Amino acid sequence: MRLKDVAEMLEGNVVYGLEQIEKEVEFAFASDLMSDVLTLQKDNVILLTGLANVQALRTAEMSDISCIVFVRNKKVNEDMLKLGKESGIVLIECPCSMFKASGVLFNNGLKPIF
Amino acid sequence: MHFEYKIEGGDFTRAGNASSQVKRTLKQLNVDPKVIKRVVVALYEGEVNIVAHAYHGEIHIDIDTEKIKMTLIDKGPGIPNIEQAMEMGFSTATPEVREMGFGAGMGLPNIKKNSDKFRIESEVGVGTKLFIEVYINQ
């Protein structure tokens, strides 16, 4: 699935990374707990989270996660945007709950990690 | 190559800066991305631990052709029971740390999992030292 499709399906707003929007992704992981995200071994993963702070960005950077979808209408602040630009992480805001966003992406073929 | 970073306890806005710089260096050195990920995940977990639990600390990174050696030394309360701290799910994190997405008692076990060599020393009332090595060619 392309990141563009992810954004469209979730009625998301791409805050940063439009130039990477054609990129294909295979897996998604949904969590507000960064400790869990840091245990993931897979590549080609997007993160769905309601944790809107710089540590979500740092966690994604260390885990080689190329896109974060912020659910529940959480907003990307200036510090997060700066880090996103520095590390080249696509940032999408969306109005859906974590449950709905996960369900929509799962139904359309994005795979779970486990 | 040797790098040193100073870490301030409680400063979550800067937590991860050292790990980010190490990641950039390893990328420039063309280290295998899988190895880089193990190094920076272990280092970031350790960096967050210093910010979350200690007053301040230092990170020393030594890179040679065979391995990446990381030494994390903090001045802080120390760990009374290391065996317990290494158990998955055991945590003494504050609510503030949990609000940042951490403090689930998974940091130390995850550092060990991502390391080829791992050792921890701690003295109550003094601080904690982590010795981590990740081999480059495996």
Side-chain angles (χ1 to χ4, degrees), chain A residues 2-13:
Chain A
R2 295 172 307 171
L3 291 178
K4 188 182 181 177
D5 305 321
V6 172
E8 279 174 12
M9 282 170 199
L10 302 180
E11 294 170 31
N13 170 35

Side-chain angles (χ1 to χ4, degrees), chain B residues 6 21 25 27 42 45-46 48 51 66 77 81 89 99 102 107 130:
Chain B
K6 302 259 185 236
Q21 286 175 42
T25 303
K27 268 174 139 176
E45 293 269 26
V48 167
V51 174
E66 290 174 3
N81 185 338
E99 276 172 24
F102 298 98
L130 296 187

Side-chain angles (χ1 to χ4, degrees), chain A residues 8-83:
Chain A
E8 279 174 12
M9 282 170 199
L10 302 180
E11 294 170 31
N13 170 35
V14 182
V15 181
Y16 174 71
L18 271 175
E19 69 287 350
Q20 296 181 59
I21 210 76
E22 295 292 335
K23 197 171 167 185
E24 289 278 339
V25 285
E26 194 177 354
F27 298 97
F29 188 73
S31 180
D32 287 351
L33 187 61
M34 296 303 108
S35 305
D36 269 340
V37 180
L38 285 164
T39 63
L40 303 178
Q41 305 282 332
K42 281 258 191 264
D43 291 324
N44 212 3
V45 178
I46 67 166
L47 171 64
L48 276 65
T49 186
L51 187 81
N53 64 27
V54 290
Q55 297 314 319
L57 273 290
R58 283 297 189 208
T59 298
E61 180 189 359
M62 303 313 155
S63 307
D64 290 333
I65 288 172
S66 58
C67 170
I68 307 176
V69 177
F70 294 96
V71 297
R72 303 195 292 270
N73 250 329
K74 301 290 175 178
K75 298 297 175 199
V76 173
N77 65 31
E78 275 187 30
D79 289 340
M80 292 160 69
L81 182 59
K82 186 169 168 266
L83 268 186

Side-chain angles (χ1 to χ4, degrees), chain B residues 39 42-43 60-61 68-72 130-134:
Chain B
V39 168
L43 185 58
H60 297 251
I61 308 287
I68 295 133
K69 195 171 142 189
M70 297 167 264
T71 310
L72 294 85
L130 296 187
F131 304 91
I132 304 163
E133 287 185 19
V134 175

Side-chain angles (χ1 to χ4, degrees), chain B residues 30-61:
Chain B
N30 279 324
V31 175
D32 179 348
K34 284 194 165 57
V35 173
I36 295 180
K37 189 168 168 179
R38 289 174 59 212
V39 168
V40 298
V41 165
L43 185 58
Y44 180 57
E45 293 269 26
E47 197 178 342
V48 167
N49 273 349
I50 295 176
V51 174
H53 298 287
Y55 314 130
H56 54 90
E58 288 174 8
I59 295 176
H60 297 251
I61 308 287

